[in-house]
């Protein structure tokens, strides 16, 4: 293997990490696939937490005049349920897919900035831990400090201003203590992680594509990733400014949202929704991308109207910035504004509709195989249509006035974000499970998961439509017996527990199949995109030889030609080709350099909550020292990183046997 | 093996856009920064023209940022900052022509001019506070301090980056080709911060 001589030349503080396996292998990795897997597991852990919070909410609401949770506990639960599901589950689990798949789908060995990728992950992890530590350290009462018993009595108070953090409720007047500081600073940290990864993905997509992979030959999933990255790039700075404003209002004495001093609470809503509405598409576009990969594969047809799907996705991205005030129809914006935003909201249904018709066109006349990923993708299309239609009813201003802040709106966005995003993401988890683990999942358990999930989902969020129209309002912890809302609420709660059962089935399936499932072939679905040309699980270097692309769905066209009726006919040479892919994939003809592992991304992450605690407790003796220590950790890590070389010769990766001679001389043509 | 192309075997980076990854990354980052300052500027513009007299204790007058500006002073410090863009270009130019000493001189000069600008801002802030306008006086003052403060923080980070380039160059006796790109990246960032200042200076200080 290659020499390690150059290591002495590297100037570094710590001994360079060099393990690719084990605990430190995961902590220090810069491999996009490992980071993707860690993103996935971490996000799923938060999904469990957010789900448990939802169950507590549903137990409280299962019958009228319930006393299971207090009002303030209820506030903390619904705030953290929303915050968790959006910022700690759907966004990072989408990032898990981006990380794992994006380089594979565009034929790259890695992302543009491998260690930045690791930084993004660690900032996300520590931001999430910081946010959740508010349940332990956060206070809602006015004075801080006091004796230990007093502090202990406040344990269990989390952020309680809603995931939307509406001012002035999130300001000092109505939210004393520190819990909303945890919320605003925690989101700031999480936003930083997303910003870093979005820059990384954009550069990766534009610079790292394989030869011949033109923009309109990229898989739809890659396209949707790109749109999401741009949405993040342009919307995160706005929420960053808004979060700075609320943090400063609470800690520095600025007056942005304090109406008693001339501040403007509606400004918070403008800034928040100018981020928050694009955020909806940030959450759902990755799922749309997944569905656009799964439907053609299991219908055995190309995606109907590929350019239309791509351009509709881009159009949704652009228009997503022009509709934010439809979240504010009931907060006193002028009639002209209402009319304009009502119209733009209706207009955004057009590209969404284009996509839906393209998906239906893809299934139409296809040879459909109803495997689990396909079921979840079909579930996505169905549920998303319902959610989309109820969404259009909100663009009609008078109707919105009736529906807003009722359970009708809760039903709407859960049909979009649960029935849409989460069904799509589960579809992707099953679809790429063989590539990820090298084994097949249990189809029986997978289908059971889908049907339990599907029934539970509709039982939970379907009745919310009429609960809302019958006047059940959001964000209150109790309702009276006389309203007659009790029975349907009980149904909803039962539905929520059925969903939880579905998640349990998924977890059993995943953990069992990962170890005991049948060994997966490297192209189990007879799929269309480049990642299926790689061995399962994918080796660290991804591509043994860099692919050259000649058309959209290049891999498919290598396997199939068309007969006179346009039906696919398997090429005779396909089997030999697949065998060759597998053979070469495991035995690259030449050694491949990869970025080295590094401690510094992890350390940057460690510094983040230190700065956060320092900011919150700047009035105590240890606040400022901790703040400085955190800043030094972050800056020092970046400096250490700056002088650390990215690649070293000893990081060669070729075959599993180090002294194995390169066999691939026959691959040297072209 | 006609379908599988041969690779050069290394962690190869062929850039689709023809722009280096790091440079493209910087451009993408800066496009995000435009949104950041856009939000801060619109925030200031929203609050600057409002009437806050109703919220003041009786007998006190409203101190707004626009009543306190010393335009000649800020014009001079703005000029200093704009000149630092020139020295930044000269630093890059010196590096391209291979003159490491001259590169260091211009890098240091850029950092120096940036520091003078920050010094001016600190003086200005102290002056305003002494005249009675603090960050808690009214939302317009809050927005002013936040906008110009964040710009100052950006200049500060730029100075840190310049200093580390200077330090690396001093220690190694010059910047390598790879690090040379860093000069260009810091230059991009520095010009961005200058351009934003032109916008801030015009909108905040000059337009009544």
């Amino acid at each position: 293997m290659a020499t390690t001589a150059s290591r002495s030349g590297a100037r570094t503080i710590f001994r360079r990490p060099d393990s690719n396996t084990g605990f430190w292998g995961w902590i220090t990795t810069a491999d996009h696939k490992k980071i993707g897997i860690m993103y996935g597991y971490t996000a799923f852990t938060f999904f469990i937490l957010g789900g448990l919070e939802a169950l507590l909410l549903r137990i409280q609401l299962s019958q009228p005049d319930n006393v299971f949770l207090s009002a303030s506990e209820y506030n903390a639960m619904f705030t953290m349920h929303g915050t968790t599901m959006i910022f700690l589950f759907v966004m990072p689990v989408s990032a898990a897919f981006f990380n794992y798949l994006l380089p594979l789908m565009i034929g790259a060995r890695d992302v543009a900035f491998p260690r930045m990728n690791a930084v993004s992950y660690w900032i996300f992890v520590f931001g999430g831990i910081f946010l959740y530590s508010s349940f332990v350290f956060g206070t809602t009462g006015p004075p801080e400090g006091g004796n230990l018993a007093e502090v202990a009595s406040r344990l269990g108070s989390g952020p309680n201003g809603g995931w939307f953090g509406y001012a002035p409720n999130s300001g000092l007047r109505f939210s004393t203590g520190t819990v909303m500081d945890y919320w605003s600073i925690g989101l700031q940290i999480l936003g930083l992680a997303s910003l870093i990864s979005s820059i990384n993905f954009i550069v990766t997509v534009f610079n790292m594509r394989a030869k011949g992979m033109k923009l309109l030959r990229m898989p739809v999933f890659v396209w949707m990733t790109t749109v999401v990255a741009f949405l993040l790039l342009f919307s995160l700075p706005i929420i960053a400014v808004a979060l700075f404003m609320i943090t400063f209002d609470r800690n520095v004495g600025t007056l942005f949202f304090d109406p008693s001093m001339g501040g403007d609470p509606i400004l918070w809503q403008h800034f928040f929704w100018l981020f928050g509405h694009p955020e909806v598409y940030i959450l759902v576009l990755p799922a749309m991308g997944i569905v656009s990969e799964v439907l053609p594969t299991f219908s055995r047809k190309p995606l109907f109207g590929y350019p239309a799907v791509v351009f509709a996705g881009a159009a949704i991205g652009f228009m997503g910035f022009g509709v934010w005030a439809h979240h504010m129809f009931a907060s006193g914006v002028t009639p002209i504004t209402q009319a304009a935003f009502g119209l733009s909201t209706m207009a955004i249904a057009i590209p969404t509709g284009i996509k839906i018709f393209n998906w239906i066109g893809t299934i139409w006349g296809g040879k459909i195989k109803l495997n689990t990923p396909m079921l979840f993708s079909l579930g996505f299309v169905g549920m998303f249509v319902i959610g989309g239609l109820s969404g259009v009813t909100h663009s009609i201003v008078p109707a919105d006035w009736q529906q807003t802040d009722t359970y009708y709106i809760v039903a709407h966005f859960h049909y979009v974000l649960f029935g849409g995003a989460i069904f799509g993401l589960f579809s992707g988890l099953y679809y790429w499970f063989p590539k990820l683990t090298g084994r097949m999942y249990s189809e029986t358990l997978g289908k059971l998961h889908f049907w339990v999930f599907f029934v539970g989902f509709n039982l939970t969020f379907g009745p919310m439509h009429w609960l809302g129209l019958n006047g059940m309002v959001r964000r209150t912890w109790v309702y009276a017996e006389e309203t007659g809302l009790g029975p349907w609420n009980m149904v909803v709660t039962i539905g929520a527990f059925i969903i939880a059962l579905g998640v349990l089935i998924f977890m059993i399936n995943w953990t069992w199949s990962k170890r005991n499932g049948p060994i997966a072939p490297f192209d189990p679905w007879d799929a269309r995109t480049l990642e299926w040309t790689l061995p399962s699980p994918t080796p660290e270097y991804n591509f043994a030889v860099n692919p050259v692309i000649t058309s959209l769905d290049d891999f498919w066209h290598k396997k199939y030609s068309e007969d006179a009726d346009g039906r696919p006919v398997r090429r005779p040479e396909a089997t030999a080709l697949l065998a060759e892919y597998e053979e070469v994939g495991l035995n690259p003809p030449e050694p491949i350099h990869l970025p080295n592992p590094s401690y510094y991304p992890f350390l940057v992450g460690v510094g983040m909550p230190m700065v956060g605690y320092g900011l919150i407790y700047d009035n105590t003796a240890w606040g400022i020292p901790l703040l400085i220590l955190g800043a030094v950790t972050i800056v020092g890590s970046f400096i250490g990183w700056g002088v650390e070389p990215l690649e070293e010769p000893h990081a060669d990766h070729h075959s599993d046997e180090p002294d194995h001679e390169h066999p691939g001389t026959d691959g040297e043509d072209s | 093996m006609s379908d599988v192309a041969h690779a050069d075997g290394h962690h190869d980076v062929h850039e689709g856009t023809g722009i280096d990854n790091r440079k493209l990354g910087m451009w993408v980052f800066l496009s995000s920064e435009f949104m950041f300052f856009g939000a801060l500027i619109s925030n200031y513009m929203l609050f600057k023209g409002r009437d806050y007299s109703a919220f003041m204790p009786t007998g006190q007058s409203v101190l707004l940022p626009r009543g306190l500006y010393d335009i000649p002073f800020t014009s001079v410090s703005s000029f200093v900052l704009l000149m630092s863009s020139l020295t930044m270009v000269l630093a890059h130019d010196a590096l391209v022509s291979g003159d490491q000493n001259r590169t260091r001189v211009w890098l240091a000069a850029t950092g120096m001019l940036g520091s003078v600008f920050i010094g001016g801002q600190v003086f200005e802030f102290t002056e305003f506070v002494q005249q009675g306008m603090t960050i808690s006086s009214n939302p317009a003052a809050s927005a002013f301090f936040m906008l110009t403060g964040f710009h100052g923080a950006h200049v500060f980070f730029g100075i840190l980056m310049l200093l580390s380039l200077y330090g690396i160059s001093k220690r190694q006796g010059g910047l390598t080709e790879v690090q040379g790109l860093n000069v260009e990246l810091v230059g991009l960032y520095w010009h961005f911060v200058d351009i934003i200042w032109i916008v801030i200076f015009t909108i905040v200080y000059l337009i009544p």
Side-chain angles (χ1 to χ4, degrees):
Chain A
M1 209 151 181
T3 169
T4 54
S6 76
R7 293 186 70 183
S8 55
R11 190 176 289 126
T12 176
I13 301 162
F14 303 110
R15 198 177 63 79
R16 298 289 305 281
D18 47 15
S19 64
N20 287 317
T21 52
F23 179 70
W24 286 107
W26 287 97
I27 299 282
T28 60
T29 187
D31 175 18
H32 70 93
K33 295 180 291 302
K34 278 189 171 177
I35 293 169
I37 289 169
M38 290 196 291
Y39 249 119
Y41 276 102
T42 315
F44 195 81
T45 310
F46 284 118
F47 176 60
I48 304 289
L49 284 172
L52 291 175
E53 283 152 3
L55 289 183
L56 293 177
L57 294 174
R58 282 321 313 175
I59 293 172
Q60 165 64 23
L61 292 176
S62 59
Q63 41 190 317
D65 303 312
N66 205 353
V67 289
F68 177 70
L69 294 177
S70 72
S72 69
E73 283 164 346
Y74 184 90
N75 284 349
M77 285 305 126
F78 87 69
T79 301
M80 286 306 279
H81 167 69
T83 307
T84 304
M85 286 306 190
I86 288 167
F87 294 101
L88 297 171
F89 173 59
V90 178
M91 277 170 85
V93 89
S94 301
F97 280 102
F98 300 164
N99 265 301
Y100 197 93
L101 291 169
L102 190 90
L104 303 184
M105 285 181 142
I106 61 172
R109 289 241 165 84
D110 213 326
V111 291
F113 308 109
R115 287 180 299 182
M116 273 299 196
N117 217 7
V119 163
S120 155
Y121 170 72
W122 289 113
I123 292 179
F124 151 64
V125 170
F126 284 100
I129 292 172
F130 175 79
L131 192 56
Y132 262 86
S133 73
S134 62
F135 279 111
V136 183
F137 307 122
T139 51
T140 47
E144 282 169 28
N147 59 41
L148 202 62
E150 192 200 358
V151 172
S153 72
R154 295 210 190 99
L155 287 184
S157 45
N160 53 9
W163 86 274
F164 35 81
Y166 282 162
N169 281 346
S170 52
L172 270 185
R173 187 179 302 267
F174 298 105
S175 179
T176 49
T178 55
V179 284
M180 285 313 279
D181 293 316
Y182 276 91
W183 181 81
S184 60
I185 296 171
L187 286 198
Q188 193 81 270
I189 296 175
L190 294 171
L192 186 62
S194 297
L195 182 68
I196 291 171
S197 62
S198 70
I199 294 172
N200 204 347
F201 292 136
I202 289 172
V203 176
T204 306
V205 165
F206 283 105
N207 263 356
M208 310 277 286
R209 277 167 288 132
K211 285 197 182 68
M213 166 104 25
K214 294 178 179 158
L215 285 177
L216 281 177
R217 288 178 187 167
M218 297 198 305
V220 177
F221 179 74
V222 176
W223 260 108
M224 293 308 112
T225 307
T226 314
V227 174
V228 167
F230 275 106
L231 283 173
L232 285 167
L233 192 73
F234 295 133
S235 67
L236 282 172
I238 298 165
I239 190 74
V241 167
L243 288 169
F244 274 126
M245 286 161 77
I246 199 82
T247 310
F248 288 173
D249 265 16
R250 297 178 55 85
N251 295 293
V252 185
T254 56
L255 306 164
F256 298 115
F257 304 125
D258 183 353
S260 69
M261 295 292 284
D264 188 348
I266 298 296
L267 181 63
W268 168 267
Q269 294 195 26
H270 279 293
F271 274 157
F272 183 82
W273 289 116
L274 190 48
F275 152 80
H277 197 83
E279 172 72 14
V280 174
Y281 300 108
I282 291 167
L283 298 172
V284 84
L285 281 171
M288 288 179 165
I290 290 170
V291 167
S292 304
E293 299 301 330
V294 171
L295 290 179
T297 300
F298 291 95
S299 307
R300 321 218 31 80
K301 276 179 67 192
L303 182 68
F304 181 79
Y306 166 88
V309 175
V310 168
F311 287 120
I316 290 173
F318 277 110
M319 295 166 78
F321 281 98
V323 298
W324 79 88
H326 70 216
H327 295 264
M328 302 161 62
F329 285 156
S331 53
V333 292
T334 62
I336 300 287
T337 314
Q338 291 177 348
F341 280 92
L343 285 173
S344 65
T345 303
M346 288 177 205
I348 207 168
I350 294 169
T352 317
I354 290 174
K355 274 177 177 286
I356 287 165
F357 282 115
N358 278 303
W359 289 325
I360 294 170
T362 306
I363 308 165
W364 193 282
K367 277 165 67 185
I368 297 170
K369 281 200 278 188
L370 283 176
N371 293 46
T372 312
M374 184 65 170
L375 285 176
F376 271 99
S377 277
L378 293 174
F380 167 95
V381 176
M383 299 304 99
F384 190 79
V385 166
I386 297 175
L389 290 177
S390 65
V392 175
T393 68
H394 300 307
S395 68
I396 302 153
V397 177
D400 182 82
W401 282 355
Q402 291 301 312
Q403 294 155 3
T404 194
D405 286 335
T406 70
Y407 268 73
Y408 186 87
I409 221 133
V410 180
H412 156 69
F413 65 68
H414 280 92
Y415 264 88
V416 173
L417 292 179
F418 195 128
I422 294 184
F423 271 60
L425 292 166
F426 271 113
S427 172
L429 286 175
Y430 281 108
Y431 182 56
W432 282 293
F433 183 86
K435 192 50 59 190
L436 215 68
T437 60
R439 289 176 185 273
M440 300 300 289
Y441 59 85
S442 155
E443 198 69 68
T444 320
L445 283 177
K447 284 181 176 153
L448 186 66
H449 169 202
F450 172 76
W451 287 112
V452 170
F453 223 53
F454 189 78
V455 169
F457 169 79
N458 282 298
L459 218 50
T460 308
F461 301 109
M464 282 187 185
H465 286 109
W466 45 93
L467 277 173
L469 292 177
N470 283 333
M472 179 160 171
V473 291
R474 283 168 85 178
R475 299 167 190 157
T476 51
W477 85 108
V478 74
Y479 54 93
E481 175 92 60
E482 302 81 69
T483 56
L485 298 170
W488 277 118
N489 265 303
M490 182 52 95
V491 172
V492 169
T493 301
I494 292 168
F497 277 90
I498 295 176
I499 292 176
L501 177 68
V503 176
L504 205 63
I505 296 170
F506 168 75
M507 287 162 73
I508 292 168
N509 193 357
W510 186 279
T511 42
W512 184 85
S513 305
K514 198 158 68 77
R515 294 219 176 77
N516 312 313
I519 301 287
F522 74 113
D523 180 24
W525 311 126
D526 199 3
R528 322 179 70 87
T529 38
L530 276 181
E531 74 272 23
W532 301 104
T533 65
L534 300 172
S536 314
T538 317
E540 209 180 344
Y541 47 76
N542 294 357
F543 292 92
V545 282
N546 284 330
V548 172
I549 308 304
T550 52
S551 64
L552 177 66
D553 290 335
D554 191 67
F555 181 40
W556 173 265
H557 291 300
K558 288 199 169 97
K559 293 187 289 187
Y560 289 91
S561 60
E562 284 184 354
D563 66 8
D565 297 329
R567 275 191 292 267
V569 180
R570 198 170 167 94
R571 292 179 194 272
E573 66 269 26
T575 316
L577 180 77
L578 296 184
E580 186 185 295
Y581 274 126
E582 188 151 41
E583 160 71 20
V584 176
L586 291 168
N587 302 292
E590 282 182 45
I592 296 162
H593 288 278
L594 285 174
N596 266 28
S598 171
Y599 293 113
Y600 294 113
F602 176 77
L603 287 174
V604 171
V606 171
M608 290 289 159
M610 289 159 78
V611 172
Y613 291 122
L615 284 172
I616 292 179
Y617 298 103
D618 61 346
N619 53 351
T620 65
W622 48 273
I624 297 295
L626 191 66
L627 178 70
I628 293 169
L629 189 65
V632 168
T633 309
I634 294 169
V635 174
S637 303
F638 273 110
I639 290 174
W641 170 347
V643 298
E644 175 183 80
L646 181 63
E647 293 168 21
E648 280 174 313
H650 78 102
D652 284 355
H653 300 258
H654 43 155
S655 65
D656 294 334
E657 304 133 71
D659 49 0
H660 180 63
E661 270 307 309
H662 308 143
T665 42
D666 57 337
E668 310 288 316
D669 57 354
S670 80
Chain B
M1 205 170 193
S2 55
D3 283 5
V4 185
H6 167 59
D8 62 6
H10 290 265
H11 177 62
D12 75 328
V13 181
H14 52 93
E15 275 119 10
T17 54
I19 305 169
D20 183 275
N21 275 347
R22 287 184 291 163
K23 205 160 152 187
L24 185 62
M26 181 56 92
W27 278 111
V28 173
F29 167 68
L30 292 180
S31 69
S32 176
E33 287 278 81
F34 271 107
M35 296 301 286
F36 185 80
F37 279 101
L40 286 172
I41 289 170
S42 48
N43 186 34
Y44 175 75
M45 288 173 69
L46 184 78
F47 283 119
K48 76 164 184 175
R50 293 193 178 177
D51 179 14
Y52 299 102
S53 48
F55 304 106
M56 299 298 289
T58 42
Q60 276 189 32
S61 59
V62 185
L63 276 174
L64 287 175
R66 67 167 184 269
L68 300 175
Y69 293 143
D70 182 352
I71 305 279
F73 176 83
T74 317
S75 300
V76 171
S77 75
S78 303
F79 180 73
V80 168
L81 189 66
L82 292 192
M83 281 306 102
S84 73
S85 257
L86 176 66
T87 55
M88 189 72 231
V89 172
L90 289 171
H92 182 242
D93 186 56
L95 189 75
V96 170
S97 61
D99 190 339
Q100 296 283 354
N101 282 328
R102 206 152 54 87
T103 309
R104 276 199 290 278
V105 169
W106 287 124
L107 283 177
T110 311
M112 207 77 81
L113 290 172
S115 311
V116 170
F117 173 81
I118 297 231
Q121 197 169 38
V122 170
F123 173 79
E124 194 183 29
F125 280 12
T126 338
E127 191 73 3
F128 287 172
V129 171
Q130 274 172 2
Q131 292 184 37
M133 187 187 79
T134 69
I135 200 164
S136 311
S137 292
N138 53 60
S142 300
F144 167 78
F145 281 115
M146 185 167 171
L147 168 59
T148 51
F150 267 109
H151 182 268
H154 275 73
V155 177
F156 177 73
F157 279 114
I159 294 172
L160 281 188
M161 290 193 276
L162 288 166
L163 278 181
S164 48
L165 278 180
Y166 180 87
I168 291 169
S169 176
K170 196 85 182 163
R171 197 166 165 158
Q172 299 178 343
L175 294 169
T176 62
E177 201 183 324
V178 180
Q179 291 158 342
L181 183 66
N182 289 344
V183 175
E184 212 178 327
L185 296 184
V186 175
L188 280 177
Y189 175 85
W190 194 263
H191 298 318
F192 164 81
V193 171
D194 274 13
I195 290 168
I196 286 294
W197 181 254
I198 297 174
V199 177
I200 294 174
F201 184 61
T202 312
I203 288 179
V204 174
Y205 289 82
L206 297 185
I207 296 177

